Amino acid sequence: MTRQSGPGLPWLLESMVQRIPRTRCAVLLASDGLVKAAYGTGTDTADALAAAASGLYSLSSALGTAMEDRGQVRQVVAEVGDTVVLVATGGAGTRLLVAAERGADPAVLGYEMAGLAKSVGNHLTTPVRQ
C-alpha cells in the first residue's frame, strides 16, 4: 500500500524499504502523529504506527528532559516480537518510522534513515499547525 500527501514521498519510502534487507514498511508522519506518506502497509496500520511513533518520540524526549539533556531525540528503537521499529527525525516537524524483521541490522536501518533525512530533509518538513 502506498499513501502520500506530497509529491514523490512514497517513492522515497519505497526505495528505502526495497533497498534494506528484511524491511517491512516505512511511514513518514508529522510530529503530531498524522501520516504524510506510507509504503508497505495499509491505511489503518499506517495511522496506528504514526500515532505510536509520535508517542514514542514524545516519551523519549521526556526521558531526555528528566535526565537533564535538552538535546533533540535522534532515534528510538523498539523490538516487539519478531519486529524491530525505528523512529527518527525526518525533517523539521516530521518523523520517520521504519519497521523491519528482527534479523534486520538496526545500524543499517538508522544509517539509511539518517541519509534519507539528510538528503531530502527540506522536502520532509511539516510546518507548525495553527
Side-chain angles (χ1 to χ4, degrees):
M1 189 290 168
T2 301
R3 177 174 168 182
Q4 84 174 47
S5 66
L9 296 179
W11 176 83
L12 292 171
L13 299 179
E14 177 182 7
S15 174
M16 184 176 62
V17 168
Q18 291 181 350
R19 192 172 57 251
I20 306 169
R22 299 184 174 168
T23 303
R24 293 182 181 170
C25 66
V27 179
L28 183 68
L29 58 131
S31 58
D32 59 7
L34 296 177
V35 175
K36 292 184 62 138
Y39 176 79
T41 188
T43 301
D44 291 343
T45 301
D47 288 338
L49 289 172
S54 180
L56 278 173
Y57 196 92
S58 181
L59 287 170
S60 298
S61 182
L63 285 171
T65 299
M67 298 300 298
E68 298 181 3
D69 187 337
R70 306 261 187 255
Q72 181 180 6
V73 174
R74 288 187 298 270
Q75 182 177 328
V76 180
V77 179
E79 291 186 38
V80 182
D82 291 331
T83 304
V84 60
V85 177
L86 282 80
V87 180
T89 300
T94 305
R95 314 288 179 248
L96 177 61
L97 173 143
V98 174
E101 296 171 9
R102 177 177 259 212
D105 186 342
V108 172
L109 290 169
Y111 176 82
E112 291 289 341
M113 291 169 73
L116 176 67
K118 185 177 181 180
S119 65
V120 294
N122 291 340
H123 301 287
L124 301 182
T125 61
T126 300
V128 176
R129 299 185 203 285
Q130 300 300 324

